[in-house]
Amino acid sequence: MDIAVQWVRVTWTKRSRGAEAATIRNALPLAFVLPEAPFPDAPLPVVHDVVMSEREAFAARESLRGPAETGVRLRESGGHLLVRPPALSSLQAIPPRRRRPPAVRLAPGEWLRWQLNHRCSSAAGMADWFYEQTTLNIAYGPHARDVFLGAPTRHVDERGYLR
């Protein structure tokens, strides 16, 4: 069965926290058109990775990755795709999430948007805080390249207050 994974990340620092910068960040897309099939021998599913950072004026930078790098865990079972919560990116991340949502089961033809955000420090605490919003779009079954541009079948929103 076809599985499409798109990992959209937006990163910024406190320099982009004001109302003007927040307006720009909030207008950034949560999804993009998937690239053409990359190459026939790629490990499946291939992850379409899109990063938009303050450092690059929030211009979208796209690449392809393996699924393990996203932290999302996928398993096909009984004609469904089981999507377990994405791993949290950092032990220094705020807000803490002691309780995570349960896994989501997708039937063929369904797709999921899972959103998280964090405020993170460097491991040693020497660098400034940075912020990240992550959106994982996952489609199960045959899909068009623009599958993620519409409304998701399922949506999990784990975004919290970042102060």
Side-chain angles (χ1 to χ4, degrees), residues 130-146:
F130 70 93
Y131 302 84
E132 179 175 281
Q133 177 170 292
T134 299
T135 302
L136 273 166
N137 297 309
I138 302 167
Y140 185 55
H143 55 271
R145 291 180 53 222
D146 64 354

Side-chain angles (χ1 to χ4, degrees), residues 4-162:
V5 180
Q6 186 175 75
W7 189 23
V8 179
R9 291 174 290 151
V10 178
T11 61
W12 67 96
T13 67
K14 63 183 176 183
R15 288 186 302 257
S16 292
R17 285 198 56 192
E20 185 178 327
T23 300
I24 293 169
R25 280 195 329 272
N26 291 334
L28 295 173
L30 299 175
F32 293 81
V33 172
L34 293 167
E36 294 286 340
F39 32 86
D41 298 334
L44 294 177
V46 172
V47 176
H48 179 218
D49 182 29
V50 182
V51 177
M52 295 172 280
S53 70
E54 171 190 273
R55 181 179 17 210
E56 296 172 354
F58 299 108
R61 187 171 30 94
E62 300 179 53
S63 63
L64 299 174
R65 299 185 179 275
E69 296 178 56
T70 65
V72 71
R73 295 165 290 167
L74 307 172
R75 184 175 59 110
E76 286 185 285
S77 176
H80 287 81
L81 180 67
L82 188 64
V83 181
R84 297 192 187 281
L88 296 178
S89 62
S90 172
L91 294 176
Q92 294 84 21
I94 295 174
R97 290 172 175 90
R98 290 173 184 81
R99 295 184 122 190
R100 303 292 311 278
V104 174
R105 290 172 49 95
L106 295 177
E110 293 183 330
W111 72 275
L112 165 70
R113 173 167 289 151
W114 200 309
Q115 294 182 278
L116 289 156
N117 64 353
H118 297 93
R119 183 180 81 180
C120 303
S121 69
S122 65
M126 302 301 289
D128 285 338
W129 287 97
F130 70 93
Y131 302 84
E132 179 175 281
Q133 177 170 292
T134 299
T135 302
L136 273 166
N137 297 309
I138 302 167
Y140 185 55
H143 55 271
R145 291 180 53 222
D146 64 354
V147 63
F148 299 130
L149 299 185
T153 311
R154 307 285 300 276
H155 185 226
V156 177
D157 191 345
E158 284 191 89
R159 292 177 293 174
Y161 179 68
L162 297 179

